Amino acid sequence: MSEPLRLGIAGLGTVGIGVLRIIRQHEALLAARTGRRIVISAVSARDKSKDRGLPLDRYAWEDDPVVLAKRDDVDVFVELIGGHEGPAKDAVEAALATGKDVVTANKALLAIHGQSLAETAEAAGKALHYEAAVAGGIPVIKSLREGLAGNDVTRVMGVMNGSCNYILTRMETAGLSYAEVFSEADGLGYLEADPQLDVGGIDAAHKLAILSALAFGTRVDFDGITLEGIDRVSIDDIRAAADMGYKIKLLGIAQMTGRGLEQRMQPCLVPDTSPLGQLDGGTNMVVLEGDAVGQIVLRGPGAGEGPTASAVMGDVCDIARGLRGPVFGIAADALKTSTPAHAKAPAPYYLRMSLEDKPGALAKIAAVLGEAGVSIDRMRQYGHDDTAAPVLIVTHKTAPDALNAALAAMESTGVLSGTPVALRIEQV
Amino acid sequence: MSEPLRLGIAGLGTVGIGVLRIIRQHEALLAARTGRRIVISAVSARDKSKDRGLPLDRYAWEDDPVVLAKRDDVDVFVELIGGHEGPAKDAVEAALATGKDVVTANKALLAIHGQSLAETAEAAGKALHYEAAVAGGIPVIKSLREGLAGNDVTRVMGVMNGSCNYILTRMETAGLSYAEVFSEADGLGYLEADPQLDVGGIDAAHKLAILSALAFGTRVDFDGITLEGIDRVSIDDIRAAADMGYKIKLLGIAQMTGRGLEQRMQPCLVPDTSPLGQLDGGTNMVVLEGDAVGQIVLRGPGAGEGPTASAVMGDVCDIARGLRGPVFGIAADALKTSTPAHAKAPAPYYLRMSLEDKPGALAKIAAVLGEAGVSIDRMRQYGHDDTAAPVLIVTHKTAPDALNAALAAMESTGVLSGTPVALRIEQV
């Protein structure tokens, strides 16, 4: 058997402890699978005295992850600190500079600094693996980078933030408002320290940016993503969508078009009987499409101690087996710069609006839609006690430009009460 | 860029032509992803003169795949001949003996001779990759061998024969008998040359045997599989199952128990709203469960030119990138020999029988079930013009031994007309 592979683990939160547990419980199994013993030399976290439920005295302790990353007895630096600046970035850079392989679960770091880190890692001939950064326990990075290597990847889609999916599912099943479920989820510790990372769609968009780079051989372009969070999804929309046979999901879609790279992360409607429509709670789903393979759908737990640690250990085992290779599947200096493109392809849209209770109000809206070339598939007006009448419309396939023109024209009719909600309906 | 990676491709059926197409269409993409040009030196098939829709004159031709496998200008032998004896086996052995890496789509070969071939490949330090052998385009081998390497895998399940799933789906949707749909599928070229490989469950069992070895670190044990095909599934059962909220699927399950390795491939009922229940037509689904990751579900096309060629090319790209490693994830000489174990865990069962039209017939059956400790969850007796009354029973969870005892006791009541059908209900 070869020399042991020695890890330095920075960050002892849920995932870090999960990694420690796997290494302690599966010592023989890991050695059999990789041909090497996998051992931990040193660990680092903010608070040494905190009780983490596991004895840590067998590992050297470093207060500073940068010092940990540079230790001579560390072959692989495992970064589980998080955040795209500060200690996580400093320590990963220090590790690569001193010839260590790196495994990280940090989507923000990869989404923002992926290009420069990939260049550094590849120049050093070292691995920068990040399976745990996207969709938790689902081996989506490996599937895309290796499994589908023979494909021109045409589209990548997914529900990749379990917290958002939990909130949307819970709003529907319990009939609670966004604010109520948000507080509940926050109290249960389901949200990031900065909840906007979750509910603003930023965390999911980080993941989408990483998948896009892998899928299309382009430099990571987080800023090119059309991004909208779930914080404006109301219980009224969830109910109305359900009434029309849909569920609302925070869905990411990336595809290469003749106009450039289209990347968007936004609340969409999906048919409630579709695989994405049936995805409840914290589960993630990623859809990969390639010219040879057709469509592959991967489903699994998107977060949590075990699943995320499983992904980290998959990366560690790859390194123990000698698998390195370009960070984004193609040499970093050969990744193309993409031009961001907005969605142009027609899709059905869901519209919800309130109309003032005047004669001819609905006729005006219908006329404006018709003039903009937006054709109505289904419309429902609900009974009301109010001065405004709730109206739901599902359109036939409509180009986004035409829809936006119609929305602008609707504003000028003077019959709207408040601003209409428009959500794209995706057929997945 | 390194030296080109030179392939010799034996077998130019659907998959072989698919591989040729990918290599011709994606030359630059493959080179960017692997750092090497991937080229074809020579090909081999039974009939040189057949028009395959692609010009083959740029490749050397060999009539004998064994000669192809030994050529000096071949680095990787791609075996797409099929069958577990004869030219496929001879050529793979010749390739490994002359220091070539091997990529194969041949599940029968791996399921029957996997152990000896793995030992040969590992002794030679060469790859024997076989992603295309299981579940077509779904990267399930890679997910299990690498992605879940940090897990003690607890269970593997799947619907892995698209032809059987097509037949069962078509029987249900068209209301046709097994014999009618079998003829139809055979006429459409959906079945293997020996259809028993498909409908007898053998092909799917080959795949399950391979997954078991990878999952549990055991020697491939095809003979240890409890195997039952779909040829005895009747349209009556499909209708009755649907009536009770289930679908019938040819489902493979492998799990390590205290008594040994339980592997079974048999028609089962699954809830019609479950992911497996909604899997229609030729699509495959594999469920992987591990102690850390929980449950991962992979869905995709299980056969066909593009998907299978995609899997072959994933393996070729791995070799181009230098990824070899043990064939079954653990060194072949360290794989354990497993003891086959029959299912012992209780499950609900579906029973369909015809009772002779005599007073007290149903009471006798109910009494016999009760005496055997089989508790009835739901029972339906249907109207009939016949001398025998159709009866459906869904039991509460019942141990297989108790069920078999009850079935034997039912025979001796003298009220049965014909043999009852008993199918296990799996909650996936």
Side-chain angles (χ1 to χ4, degrees), chain B residues 365-379:
Chain B
I365 292 298
V368 156
L369 287 171
E371 281 159 25
V374 177
S375 160
I376 296 173
D377 178 23
R378 289 186 284 159
M379 163 145 36

Side-chain angles (χ1 to χ4, degrees), chain A residues 26 33 142 146 151 291, chain B residues 26 33 142 146 151 291:
Chain A
H26 292 327
R33 287 191 177 146
K142 184 169 275 294
E146 300 161 32
N151 287 261
D291 62 346
Chain B
H26 292 327
R33 287 190 178 147
K142 184 170 274 292
E146 301 160 32
N151 286 260
D291 63 344

Side-chain angles (χ1 to χ4, degrees), chain A residues 22 26 29 33 137 139 142 145-146 149-152 275 278 291-293 295-299 301 306-307 310 321 329, chain B residues 22 26 29 33 137 142-143 145-146 149-152 275 278 291-293 295-299 301 306-307 310 321 329:
Chain A
I22 291 179
H26 292 327
L29 187 65
R33 287 191 177 146
K142 184 169 275 294
R145 186 183 59 203
E146 300 161 32
N151 287 261
D152 184 10
Q278 295 188 315
D291 62 346
V293 78
Q295 187 186 73
I296 301 281
V297 180
L298 313 174
R299 182 163 66 84
S310 167
R321 287 162 163 168
Chain B
I22 290 178
H26 292 327
L29 187 64
R33 287 190 178 147
K142 184 170 274 292
S143 295
R145 187 183 58 204
E146 301 160 32
N151 286 260
D152 185 10
Q278 297 189 315
D291 63 344
V293 77
Q295 188 186 73
I296 300 283
V297 179
L298 313 174
R299 182 163 66 85
S310 166
R321 286 162 164 168

